[in-house]
């Protein structure tokens, strides 16, 4: 009895939902997509990292603002490259107009993207680029890329520091994990920007505050004439800040990212500057690129998302700009930045 | 010591069938074997009802099979170690180590089949070390493989200098996306492994010895079974399968990644427990963990397909694992 009843319920549910689906597909067959009918799926990296939570919020709030539907999914863990590919595979067959992807490695989503391209759907790549060779091999196509140029961000920091301390000085470099692409780009960029300086390191402190503290202590002990420090992320800059304070030195330390703690330390003076990134803006640009593509517009192929050097000169603006979020409090830079996507959306 | 048999074909119609069925349903071991099948059918039915047009499509079922293939192979290896009351916590980094060695020889333009063999050998070596240290030095499986988790992922980082190596190959991408009669090639590979493992476990003397060592090592020793040999063998199997899974992983993501993928490990342990293998050793099946892998992947897929927010997915998958484990309760 119970069983037959539940089977009936199941049948009704199946029948009803297939009607609904049939309804929507005929509805969306109209030539121009209304904002409300646009469906966006996003697969970001693991949400155990605040940076990607910032991106997720950028996607969700921008979708809400335009009234488009967004389903944001994440890899089960920061290193789960196969799990992330599974997620994108699961979404690829569904009724979405556009897919926003942030690959964990430069290759892991290429095959899934190939499947999406075969279905003639749009793929927007944000933050970390998908490798073009593997993309070609799978027949995938990326319509637009929006991400930070870590090399340029580091370079801007290097130029700023040399302008502050003068040329020909000795600068200590603290890098993240050995072989990490982001860390390398930031450190190499900084070196390029700080032309004329001599460098100590880079020493790998694995993105970790304590390890950076230890590394900075060792570098200060061995090089009494250090005139500044660059750390490839804010957590490490915090560690360096502590080492400098303990050694009673008065030299600048720059970090990268713009996390909440670092902004507070810039305010307090224990970190000199943080080259801030805006994950929220990346998410926003991803959704906007999707909308342009769904409306049949021409999407800019590549956009460099903004970075901003936050130091004592603009820290007040950065802190008032603060939203309710914890880790990446600044959704947008405290000044002007170009977003080539917004103006292309038809309301 | 009870050697349990994989879910047998129902329908053997003799007069005492009903009586037999009644007594089997009351047998707690029956449920530890079958609960995972019931749970799997339940999960598929629930998602099928909620999202028939999205979940129950050939495309999507295909995705689930592809997603389940690598974890299934790892779970088979894990089953062998758990059957001897051991555990292999190093599987994920063994797979990474295998992948990195594969990538290394591939970039030195070795032919593909040799790369595959090198990957398997790399995994086998890690498994052999695990087994020898555990059995010869009589150190706890948990501690040795926990150490090996770090050693193998460190070795992978050293060997690769922390850099991924791109592996673009026509054959490998055919393996990854190809299918025959709606069954993906990757799943065929996994299923062949499952069948072989089932045969080895239930139809060879070695299999009987594995159960014996897991059930009661002292009696096994008294019967003249070399506990050391069996222990080494199960870790070699686990390592070799991790090395083989590395090839499948490379085919899916197109590169040999140096960072260990720990969810593979968690998945395999969850699948083994859900699949009704006793953590105290001596009883279990191969099909149980296999179905459990399908269950876990269906769950992850279904939640994504119906658009459950990422945060809730961690929660629900964890709850299902704990709940089913509590229901199975295979341990004596």
């Amino acid at each position: 009895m119970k069983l037959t009843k539940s089977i009936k319920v199941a049948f009704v549910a199946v029948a009803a939902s297939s009607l609904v689906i049939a309804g929507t597909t005929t509805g969306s067959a109209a030539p121009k997509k209304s904002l409300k009918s646009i469906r966006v799926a996003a697969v970001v990296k693991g949400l155990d990292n605040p940076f990607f939570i910032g991106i997720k919020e950028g996607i969700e709030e921008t979708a809400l603002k335009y009234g488009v539907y967004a389903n944001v999914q994440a890899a089960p863990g920061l290193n789960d490259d196969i799990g992330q590919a599974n997620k994108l595979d699961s979404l690829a067959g569904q009724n979405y107009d556009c897919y926003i992807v942030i690959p964990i490695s430069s290759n892991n989503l290429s095959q899934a993207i190939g499947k999406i391209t075969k279905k003639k759907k749009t793929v927007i790549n944000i933050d970390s680029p998908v490798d073009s060779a593997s993309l070609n091999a799978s027949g995938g196509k990326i319509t637009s890329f929006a991400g930070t140029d870590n090399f340029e961000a580091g370079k801007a920091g290097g130029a700023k520091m040399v302008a502050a301390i003068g040329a020909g000085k000795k600068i200590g470099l603290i890098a993240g994990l050995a072989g990490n692409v982001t860390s390398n780009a930031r450190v190499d960029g900084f070196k390029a920007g700080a032309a004329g300086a001599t460098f100590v390191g880079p020493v790998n402190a694995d993105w970790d505050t304590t390890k950076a503290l230890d590394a900075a202590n060792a570098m200060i002990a061995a090089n009494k004439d250090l005139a500044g420090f660059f750390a490839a992320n804010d957590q490490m800059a915090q560690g360096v800040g502590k080492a400098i304070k303990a050694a009673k030195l008065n030299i600048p330390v720059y970090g990268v990212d713009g996390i909440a703690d670092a902004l507070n330390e810039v305010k307090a003076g224990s970190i000199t500057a943080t080259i801030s990134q805006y994950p929220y803006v990346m998410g926003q640009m991803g959704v906007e690129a999707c909308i342009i593509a769904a409306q049949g517009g021409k999407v800019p192929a590549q956009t460099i998302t903004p970075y901003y050097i936050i130091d004592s000169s603009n820290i007040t603006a950065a802190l008032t700009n603060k939203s309710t979020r914890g880790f990446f409090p600044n959704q947008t830079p405290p000044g002007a930045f170009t977003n080539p996507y917004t103006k292309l959306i038809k309301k | 010591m009870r050697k349990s048999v994989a879910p047998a074909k129902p329908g053997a119609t003799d007069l005492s069938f009903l009586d037999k069925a009644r007594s089997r349903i009351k047998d707690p071991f029956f449920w530890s074997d079958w609960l995972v099948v019931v749970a799997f059918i339940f999960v598929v039915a629930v998602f099928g009802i909620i999202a028939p047009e999205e979940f129950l499509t050939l495309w999507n079922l295909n995705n689930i099979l592809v997603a389940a293939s690598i974890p299934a192979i790892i779970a088979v290896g894990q089953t062998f170690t758990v059957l001897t009351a051991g555990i292999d916590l190093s599987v994920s980094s063994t797979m990474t180590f295998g992948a990195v060695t594969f990538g290394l020889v591939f970039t030195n333009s070795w032919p593909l089949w040799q790369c595959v063999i090198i990957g398997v050998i790399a995994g086998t070596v890690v498994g052999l070390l695990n087994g020898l240290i555990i059995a010869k030095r009589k150190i706890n499986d948990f501690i040795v493989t926990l150490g090996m988790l770090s050693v193998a992922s460190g070795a992978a980082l050293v060997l690769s200098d922390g850099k991924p190596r791109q592996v673009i190959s026509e054959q490998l991408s055919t393996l990854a996306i190809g299918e025959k009669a709606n069954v993906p090639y990757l799943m065929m590979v996994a299923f062949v492994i499952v069948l072989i493992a089932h045969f080895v476990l239930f139809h060879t003397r070695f299999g009987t010895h594995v159960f014996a060592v897991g059930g009661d090592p002292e009696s096994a020793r008294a019967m003249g079974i070399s506990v050391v040999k069996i222990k080494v063998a199960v870790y070699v199997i686990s390592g070799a399968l991790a090395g083989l899974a590395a090839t499948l992983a490379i085919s899916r993501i197109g590169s040999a990644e140096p960072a260990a993928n720990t969810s593979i490990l968690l998945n395999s342990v969850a699948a083994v427990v859900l699949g009704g293998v006793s953590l105290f050793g001596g009883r279990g099946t191969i099909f149980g963990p296999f179905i459990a892998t399908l269950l876990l992947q269906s769950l992850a897929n279904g939640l994504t397909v119906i658009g459950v927010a990422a945060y809730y997915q961690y929660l629900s998958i964890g709850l299902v694992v704990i709940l089913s484990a509590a229901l199975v309760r295979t341990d004596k």
Side-chain angles (χ1 to χ4, degrees), chain A residues 204-218:
Chain A
N204 291 103
D206 305 348
W207 306 121
D208 184 79
T209 306
T210 318
K211 285 184 187 168
L213 171 62
D214 295 339
N217 275 334

Side-chain angles (χ1 to χ4, degrees), chain A residues 139-222:
Chain A
K141 186 174 164 278
I142 300 282
T143 304
S144 183
F145 172 75
T148 322
D149 189 332
N150 279 300
F151 185 88
E152 285 298 322
K155 196 173 166 187
K160 181 116 182 163
M161 189 178 283
V162 166
I165 62 172
K169 298 281 175 56
K170 212 183 230 183
I171 300 173
L173 302 175
I174 309 280
L177 276 173
N180 180 277
V181 183
T182 307
S183 172
N184 287 349
R186 289 174 179 179
V187 172
D188 290 346
F190 185 89
K191 281 169 139 177
T198 54
F199 301 102
V200 182
V203 173
N204 291 103
D206 305 348
W207 306 121
D208 184 79
T209 306
T210 318
K211 285 184 187 168
L213 171 62
D214 295 339
N217 275 334
M219 285 161 101
I220 291 168

